[in-house]
Amino acid sequence: MATAATDRTAAPEPAPHVFVVPYPAQGHTIPLLDLATLLASCGGVRLTVVATPATAPLLAAHGDAVGELVLPFPSHPAFPAGVESAKGLSPALFGALIVAYAGLRAPLGDWARERSGGPDRVAAILSDFFCGWTQPLATELGVTRIAFSPSAVYGTAVLHSLFRRMPQREDGDDESPIGFPDLPGAPAYPWRQLTLLYRTYRDGDEVSEGVHRNLLWNLEASSFVSNTFRRLEERYLAAPLADLGFRRVRAIGPLAPDAADAASGRGGETAVSAADLCAWLDGFADDDGSVVYISFGSMAVLQPPHAAALAAALERTGVPFVWAVGTAAPLPEGFEERVAAAAATAGRRRGKGRVVRGWAPQVAALRHRAVGWFVTHCGWNSVLEASAAGVPMLAWPMTADQFVNVRLLVEEAGAAVPVSWGGIQAAPEAEEVARVLEAAAGGQCAHVAARAKELAEEAAATVSDGGASRQELDELVRELRELGSEPKE
């Protein structure tokens, strides 16, 4: 890929040039790159994606549709040197990553100003909501900024509501309810289920104040673009929300690849190929929907009690499974060896399991007919990938926006069954997890599985020609084209 859009300078009337600024976390970068590729495929706009050396390889899966600008990761005293993304990062450092990444503001501004009089003049900025610092940058450059949300509209509003209203718990009680009066239904959550970004806020602390400032800047953006779809979040898209600055929200999701692209490397290198994993799943062809796929995302590392409860439940129930455990999950001693031994003797019979150490081709797995349920933390990318594939979820939220997502899925969409509400602090008993697995595998949650199939149909329809998400995408492209190539007055 080119490091800038300079190879098109000969064009007499260059298309508007859009800066795309992802946040360096897998769940944020991947959907924004998916969106950038979609925008490029529509034509009439040029896009340059900002990356650092560690995140630049993710652009490879998107071909030459977009240009790239690779800049050194900015240093910051609150953030460890040599780390450039949220992958494997301690949750305690997530706020510091937001603040450190804001150090790109100056070099990006210099790059844009150097080209302000030429065909590569930046006409707009499309950036992740954790890159709120691009709002004052856009103001300095005199251009439009559109905020991208990789999360549910509901979850995005809850996050911004916290930093907009700054509610407090009573007497240090982790169960103290925190209400959201400006959201439909005025929901409330116990303090412990709120994002750690907010619960660790300290008045006057540089990182805390930096996170606070970054999120409030989003309320000045011209609009939000959200990776969601209307039938899933009708309630939160019906009218502008105070917690999002009454800005327009375009629902353009789900940004999940279709079956033909399910084996692509959009998430980076995997520990097992999609072809290999699907060949293994083919062994369950006579028992469609019998396999449980398990993953807690690219950032979460299960605590030992959680991993032990899940491992014990899997062994107790004999449910066939694929568990993408990452590279550092503390599985119980001997569990992997027992799974491997069973695989060597059981052939393709029920009860066989597979442990994947590292990043797994999740979309390909969820699209496979053998996979019937998904044990997930309910990060929003996983939610949308499961929804697009029609796979019902066994929801086990841990932190961040996951509790909000699960409430949406269980109480409103009806496409998930909760496993545990304890989060990181409290692991369920193995018997409790086993009961949920047995109920799902035994057909006792057929209504949830049926609703998941309906969601898949709705997701496919909304991104098809004439669908609501497709219309919103087309309108976004028109908006970007209309910005033109002439500087604002």
Side-chain angles (χ1 to χ4, degrees):
M1 294 183 185
T3 56
T6 55
D7 55 333
R8 300 184 181 92
T9 55
E13 295 182 5
H17 182 202
V18 180
F19 249 170
V20 180
V21 187
Y23 178 72
Q26 295 276 76
H28 291 245
T29 298
I30 292 171
L32 186 48
L33 290 180
D34 287 341
L35 175 57
T37 302
L38 267 179
L39 293 172
S41 72
C42 294
V45 292
R46 295 174 299 143
L47 300 106
T48 295
V49 177
V50 177
T52 66
T55 58
L58 287 175
L59 274 67
H62 297 264
D64 295 323
V66 297
E68 68 177 36
L69 173 62
V70 180
L71 297 171
F73 189 90
S75 62
H76 191 280
F79 197 70
V83 179
E84 294 188 15
S85 76
K87 191 171 184 179
L89 189 69
S90 165
L93 287 171
F94 200 81
L97 175 57
I98 293 173
V99 174
Y101 201 61
L104 288 181
R105 176 176 167 180
L108 279 182
D110 292 342
W111 192 96
R113 279 185 283 270
E114 288 172 0
R115 291 156 180 79
S116 59
D120 286 329
R121 184 190 68 83
V122 175
I125 297 175
L126 173 63
S127 57
D128 189 275
F129 65 34
F130 278 146
C131 299
W133 50 269
T134 56
Q135 184 61 44
L137 173 61
T139 301
E140 292 169 9
L141 299 175
V143 303
T144 296
R145 185 246 173 164
I146 299 168
F148 173 73
S149 169
S151 303
V153 176
Y154 180 22
T156 304
V158 165
L159 173 66
H160 285 80
S161 178
L162 289 171
F163 284 93
R164 182 176 75 90
R165 298 183 304 108
M166 303 297 286
Q168 299 299 311
R169 60 178 169 170
E170 294 182 5
D171 302 322
D173 181 7
D174 277 355
E175 298 299 325
S176 177
I178 303 298
F180 295 87
D182 295 323
L183 285 174
Y189 290 86
W191 175 266
R192 65 178 176 81
Q193 290 184 0
L194 302 181
T195 174
L196 192 66
L197 271 181
Y198 184 71
R199 287 188 288 122
T200 56
Y201 174 86
R202 288 183 294 148
D203 189 31
D205 174 71
E206 179 188 5
V207 169
S208 294
E209 298 295 353
V211 171
H212 188 191
R213 187 166 55 248
N214 265 277
L215 288 167
L216 292 187
W217 269 325
N218 291 324
L219 306 186
E220 302 173 20
S222 66
S223 62
F224 282 82
V225 174
S226 182
N227 184 20
T228 190
F229 57 105
R230 186 162 290 276
R231 290 297 295 274
L232 182 58
E233 292 201 83
E234 189 78 47
R235 192 181 193 189
Y236 308 100
L237 289 162
L241 300 174
D243 290 320
L244 295 180
F246 294 106
R247 295 308 196 251
R248 174 172 182 170
V249 178
R250 295 189 186 277
I252 46 76
L255 293 169
D258 58 26
D261 296 324
S264 71
R266 68 198 268 272
E269 186 177 355
T270 58
V272 58
S273 71
D276 179 37
L277 184 56
C278 288
W280 186 87
L281 289 168
D282 286 343
F284 297 88
D286 295 334
D287 199 4
D288 284 358
S290 63
V291 179
V292 175
Y293 178 76
I294 305 162
S295 174
F296 289 85
S298 60
M299 290 179 57
V301 176
L302 284 184
Q303 300 301 306
H306 297 74
L310 180 52
L314 290 169
E315 292 192 284
R316 185 169 306 177
T317 60
V319 172
F321 68 90
V322 174
W323 188 353
V325 301
T327 57
L331 296 185
E333 185 176 354
F335 174 75
E336 288 183 81
E337 291 76 11
R338 290 191 296 274
V339 170
T345 59
R348 302 292 188 188
R349 293 200 302 271
R350 184 173 180 82
K352 184 176 179 182
R354 181 163 183 177
V355 174
V356 178
R357 279 283 181 184
W359 188 259
Q362 179 164 294
V363 173
L366 293 174
R367 295 276 180 170
H368 197 283
R369 65 187 183 278
V371 172
W373 288 89
F374 180 18
V375 176
T376 170
H377 63 313
C378 288
W380 194 243
N381 267 4
S382 290
V383 167
L384 289 183
E385 288 170 359
S387 297
V391 178
M393 288 160 269
L394 300 178
W396 195 339
M398 294 293 173
T399 185
D401 61 348
Q402 295 156 25
F403 290 96
V404 178
N405 296 343
V406 173
R407 286 268 288 269
L408 175 69
L409 291 166
V410 172
E411 298 175 6
E412 298 186 38
V417 176
V419 176
S420 170
W421 293 100
I424 292 176
Q425 292 93 335
E429 296 295 328
E431 292 81 0
E432 180 183 348
V433 180
R435 280 195 298 271
V436 176
L437 288 175
E438 288 172 340
Q444 298 172 36
C445 305
H447 61 292
V448 177
R451 179 58 187 136
K453 297 299 182 187
E454 292 174 359
L455 267 186
E457 294 172 0
E458 293 165 358
T462 198
V463 296
S464 300
D465 289 342
S469 288
R470 182 67 204 196
Q471 291 180 34
E472 290 280 28
L473 177 71
D474 291 341
E475 289 183 16
L476 175 60
V477 171
R478 283 195 292 273
E479 177 185 339
L480 293 173
R481 287 173 181 163
E482 288 170 2
L483 292 173
S485 57
E486 292 300 319
K488 288 185 177 182
E489 296 297 331

